[in-house]
Amino acid sequence: MSATHPVVMIGVDAAELELVRRLAADGTLPTLARLLDTGSAGALAGDASLFAGGVWPTFYTGRDVAWHGLYHNKLWRQERMRCEIAEAEWFPDPPFWERLDTGFRLAVLDVPMTVATPKAVNGISLAGWGTHDVIARGAWPASLWGDLVRAHGEPAMPAELFGAQSPRTLERLAADLTAATEQMGQIGAELLGRERWDLFLLVFGAAHRGGHYLWDLSHVDAGALPPDRRRRLEAALAGVYGAVDQALGRVLARAPSDARVLVFAVHGMGPNTAWADRCADILSRIQSGGAGAPPKRGLLYAIKRRLPWPLVRAVTTRLPASVQAKLVTL
């Protein structure tokens, strides 16, 4: 069994449609501009406003968040009163590509929020190479990961630096996301051109990471920046989108002439008005101002409070995934 027309699906994680339209119109995104002009385009209705972390599992299971239960990569388990990284053992069903008839030739690359190491498919599968949200990393066949490292180097997507930013960290992020996108474009083009796939599915993750930190200059004191540096930072997200557009063009150039092409995002992006990075300080002040006894603090908490967060993050992101999972529960 095989598809009459190959299907090529390219996801641009968290790409904001209105920003895409604006950048396509001013010439920054020529590949997407061509697709918008020659194809059909529209907005998807989904649950992103309720559970932004649940839309990718909804995409690959076809079920809503209430069914699959995965609303974020780290979950609060009420029955255990702790946070845990999502695990395949309690996830109800595999992604749709693992259930397709074995007559279809498949290439599935970097779909975010997949909870298990890729399983056997009639083709290849890759997880956690360049995604913004990573739960599981690996490849099918297992040798694919090493083959890609030998051909393209280690994954270029940087570890996320949570919390307060500086102009230097934002500039470094923009450069790293551009490099990661170029690498994924090279990988995608190589694998798409390798053979005639019935389904080729690839997701670029840089627009999501860039959107969180480069959407505006609220992370830094913009008024203190020299004008040239401020303009560069203001244009950084457009530069990341431009890198995605260039990589997209490189991949689509290898698509069969009769392929059905779908470029999509399961949710968009916008200004971040939350105070998540201030939550720990807010709770600490509330608790210290109460009349009751102060809460007990363990040694791990005391160490965490005293170490600079950028240093902690630099160390933890280099630990094996199994060790990181145990640290989350602690």
Side-chain angles (χ1 to χ4, degrees):
M1 179 184 296
S2 63
T4 303
H5 293 278
V7 176
V8 176
M9 299 178 65
I10 307 295
V12 183
D13 191 12
E16 174 54 42
L17 182 57
E18 292 307 311
L19 179 58
V20 167
R21 292 187 187 278
R22 176 168 63 81
L23 295 177
D26 71 14
T28 303
L29 309 178
T31 304
L32 284 168
R34 175 174 56 81
L35 294 173
L36 288 169
D37 289 341
T38 60
S40 300
L44 296 173
D47 293 331
S49 61
L50 300 175
F51 298 103
V55 290
W56 278 112
T58 292
F59 163 78
Y60 63 71
T61 63
R63 305 295 189 103
D64 60 23
V65 175
W67 181 85
H68 61 66
L70 187 57
Y71 58 87
H72 200 269
N73 57 347
K74 298 179 182 65
L75 307 177
W76 174 254
R77 300 297 298 275
Q78 179 176 320
E79 66 274 23
R80 299 182 183 180
M81 293 299 289
R82 68 184 189 187
C83 281
E84 295 181 359
I85 293 178
E87 296 179 351
E89 285 71 19
W90 55 266
F91 198 66
D93 220 356
F96 69 83
W97 54 84
E98 293 181 6
R99 304 197 302 270
L100 287 177
D101 187 287
T102 55
F104 290 105
R105 287 292 287 168
L106 311 174
V108 180
L109 310 173
D110 249 16
V111 176
M113 299 288 289
T114 50
V115 297
T117 301
K119 302 295 191 300
V121 295
N122 183 19
I124 57 176
S125 182
L126 182 70
W129 182 281
T131 52
H132 165 68
D133 288 309
V134 178
I135 300 178
R137 282 188 170 92
W140 174 266
S143 59
L144 175 63
W145 191 282
D147 293 342
L148 294 177
V149 169
R150 284 186 287 275
H152 302 279
E154 294 288 342
M157 174 63 82
E160 185 172 8
L161 177 62
F162 297 105
Q165 303 292 311
S166 68
R168 183 184 62 81
T169 62
L170 295 181
E171 290 164 346
R172 177 64 182 270
L173 175 64
D176 287 346
L177 292 179
T178 298
T181 301
E182 292 173 351
Q183 183 188 58
M184 184 52 68
Q186 294 168 2
I187 291 172
E190 174 195 323
L191 296 178
L192 180 53
R194 179 179 293 184
E195 65 174 273
R196 184 179 173 89
W197 305 100
D198 294 304
L199 171 64
F200 181 89
L201 169 57
L202 177 151
V203 180
F204 289 102
H208 193 155
R209 180 75 56 80
H212 277 309
Y213 297 100
L214 302 172
W215 186 264
D216 53 34
L217 298 186
S218 59
H219 286 276
V220 298
D221 182 1
L225 295 174
D228 288 348
R229 196 176 195 187
R230 175 170 180 162
R231 283 192 292 269
R232 286 197 301 272
L233 285 174
E234 288 174 335
L237 183 59
V240 172
Y241 273 59
V244 173
D245 186 86
Q246 185 175 12
L248 173 63
R250 182 173 189 167
V251 173
L252 293 183
R254 305 300 297 273
S257 60
D258 61 337
R260 305 300 194 211
V261 175
L262 173 65
V263 179
F264 68 100
V266 294
H267 65 83
M269 185 61 65
N272 181 7
T273 57
W275 283 13
D277 57 331
R278 303 296 184 188
C279 184
D281 291 336
I282 293 172
L283 288 176
S284 179
R285 288 175 181 253
I286 291 173
Q287 291 171 340
S288 65
K296 294 181 179 180
R297 307 295 194 191
L299 176 61
L300 186 65
Y301 180 87
I303 294 173
K304 177 183 174 183
R305 294 290 292 175
R306 285 168 172 76
L307 291 176
W309 174 243
L311 175 60
V312 172
R313 186 62 181 159
V315 172
T316 57
T317 54
R318 288 165 172 79
L319 296 175
S322 59
V323 176
Q324 292 188 47
K326 292 179 180 178
L327 289 175
V328 167
T329 61
L330 289 174

